[in-house]
Amino acid sequence: MTHGGTARTAEEARGGLRTALAGLTTRGRSFLAAGVAAAICAYVLGQGELLRVGLLLAVLPLACATVLYRTRYRVAGSRRLSPSRVPAGSEARVHLRMDNVSRLPTGLLMLQDRVPYVLGPRPRFVLDRVEAGGRREVSYRVRSDLRGRYPLGPLQLRLTDPFGMCELTRSFSTYDTLTVIPRVEPLPPVRFAGEAQGYGDGRQRSLALAGEDDVIPRGYRYGDDLRRVHWRSTARYGELMVRREEQPQRARCTVLLDTRAIAFQGAGPDSAFEWAVTGAASTLVHMLERGFSVRLLTDTGSSVPGEGADGFAGASQESADAAGLMMDTLAVIDHSDGAGLSRAYDVLRGGNEGLLVAFFGDLDEEQTAMAAKMSGRSGGALAFVLDSDAWGRETGDVPGACARSEERLRLLREAGWTALRVPRGVALTELWREADRQRTGVGAVSGTEGRS
């Protein structure tokens, strides 16, 4: 960043002078006003000594502004976030680095970074004289209880003279983005009916190894076991061929998040919608850690990550990228204008989706019936239903609202869901265990992925 220009026209010089005068501090303006007043009094009273004092007071801030404006610094600034993606309520550290790339040392520099108010106060630093080719590094911390994407920058550099008469501000053009993702609660490895549809005996295989004629060979690779050499194919193709390994399909899990604005009331970190977002994030991370192929589905029908077969995350080496994409989506997800769950049902009715974990807001009779039909398209269904009426009150439940909520839960359970009502302030870990206790046990399998 270069402060000052190498060539100026007369018009630019006048504009620069106005900029320099606009940068006068309170002290500089006071000196200038005192000098002008002293000069006027000296002229009226005929006091030559007072005139010299007035000229000194007036010239000093003007000289400082001119020198400061004509000072040429070439300073490079950079910013580094550690980490760039942080859970809500956790701190991230921002590292700032200033390099003096000119041949002259700088004067006193004041560094200021622009940050949104939700991340904390605006950080300011005072940097002493930076030698030619030298550098200075400072850092500050930011923290937000609200998820989202927050811009940091641009970085501002304030130049001041040794007397504090004038200050000029220069800004860098680049900025960075801090992503605040939902908090993730560690979940216990409980077992749900129909949750595993990929590994172990009796599950689908991508290749059948019923007999020698059914084997699909491939070319030999360095490190392959020689006991897997397929001699018939080797003789046919004239090169060493080996039997393919069994490729089991990955278990699938769809996490459905209801984002309808009419289904949730209230706002803020303690609202029902934020609890649902946190629950969806925790479930996604938990299932990825257990080796599932997962996807995030909303009531609008949008699916994340949206790559691979049927929109699920790909192979295990892509799990980290898929998790990052889904968490980035949850960081900025907001209420939708939709009134129903039909679009999500259209996505789910394409076939068996493995385990389905849903986070619903308020459900009326029509949407309860729509949600009930979703369980028939999955290997297992688990629903967390948030009662916004109960979340909107600090204490107590309305008997009528509680009865309606229980009736909707009964309809979901009759349709095959393991459905739980989410009261205010309950931890997802407790409900996760409660779901394991309340399941009927029909078709229950171990959640540990087996291999044949």
Side-chain angles (χ1 to χ4, degrees), residues 52 65 128 222 447:
R52 286 192 288 270
D128 294 332
Y222 178 78

Side-chain angles (χ1 to χ4, degrees), residues 20 192 231 405:
F192 296 115
W231 297 110
S405 177

Side-chain angles (χ1 to χ4, degrees), residues 43-305:
Y43 176 78
V44 173
L45 300 176
Q47 298 290 330
E49 296 294 335
L50 185 58
L51 179 61
R52 286 192 288 270
V53 173
L55 292 177
L56 177 62
L57 293 176
V59 168
L60 181 59
L62 296 178
C64 290
T66 302
V67 172
L68 183 63
Y69 178 75
R70 295 179 62 87
T71 300
R72 299 174 182 177
Y73 296 143
R74 298 185 66 238
V75 181
S78 61
R79 182 191 298 103
R80 178 173 57 88
L81 303 182
S82 177
S84 60
R85 185 188 289 119
V86 61
S90 300
E91 291 184 344
R93 183 168 290 274
V94 183
H95 301 269
L96 304 178
R97 172 175 167 177
M98 302 298 300
D99 294 272
N100 183 12
V101 296
S102 65
R103 298 181 179 179
L104 298 176
T106 69
L108 186 66
L109 302 178
M110 287 184 289
L111 193 63
Q112 177 177 276
D113 205 8
R114 289 186 178 181
V115 299
Y117 72 95
V118 296
L119 297 182
R122 180 172 296 183
R124 295 181 175 89
F125 305 93
V126 177
L127 304 181
D128 294 332
R129 177 180 178 271
V130 182
E131 65 279 4
R135 70 179 61 169
R136 296 290 185 271
E137 294 184 3
V138 293
S139 65
Y140 63 94
R141 295 177 296 180
V142 292
R143 179 181 180 274
S144 175
D145 292 327
L146 299 175
R147 56 185 176 83
R149 293 173 62 87
Y150 301 100
L152 301 179
L155 195 62
Q156 291 183 332
L157 199 61
R158 300 175 64 188
L159 309 176
T160 183
D161 63 279
F163 301 100
M165 298 290 179
C166 183
E167 290 182 355
L168 295 181
T169 302
R170 299 290 185 265
S171 297
F172 293 85
S173 58
T174 59
Y175 65 92
D176 294 278
T177 301
L178 175 67
T179 303
V180 180
I181 61 177
R183 287 187 293 268
V184 175
E185 297 184 23
L187 301 179
V190 301
R191 304 168 182 177
F192 296 115
E195 72 170 21
Q197 297 287 338
Y199 294 104
D201 296 335
R203 300 170 191 173
Q204 294 179 346
R205 313 294 190 190
S206 62
L207 296 176
L209 302 180
E212 193 155 318
D213 293 337
D214 297 326
V215 174
I216 304 176
R218 61 168 175 80
Y220 175 83
R221 298 172 185 170
Y222 178 78
D224 285 338
D225 190 351
L226 293 178
R227 291 175 295 182
R228 293 174 45 226
V229 173
H230 192 260
W231 297 110
R232 181 180 299 179
S233 298
T234 299
R236 178 184 301 174
Y237 295 104
E239 61 177 326
L240 203 59
M241 306 292 290
V242 297
R243 297 181 180 89
R244 290 180 182 269
E245 292 179 337
E246 183 183 11
Q247 302 291 332
Q249 292 183 350
R250 290 166 60 86
R252 288 181 171 183
C253 176
T254 298
V255 178
L256 173 61
L257 177 61
D258 184 5
T259 63
R260 296 172 299 140
I262 61 175
F264 296 93
Q265 299 177 10
D270 298 328
S271 64
F273 181 68
E274 292 301 322
W275 190 100
V277 173
T278 299
S282 303
T283 304
L284 289 170
V285 173
H286 176 71
M287 291 303 176
L288 280 173
E289 291 176 347
R290 298 186 62 191
F292 281 70
S293 289
V294 301
R295 70 173 173 181
L296 172 65
L297 181 65
T298 66
D299 59 287
T300 62
S302 60
S303 179
V304 181

Side-chain angles (χ1 to χ4, degrees), residues 21 24-39 54-63 165:
L21 293 178
L24 289 176
T25 62
T26 302
R27 180 185 300 177
R29 296 176 186 273
S30 299
F31 268 65
L32 183 61
V36 172
L55 292 177
L56 177 62
L57 293 176
V59 168
L60 181 59
L62 296 178
M165 298 290 179

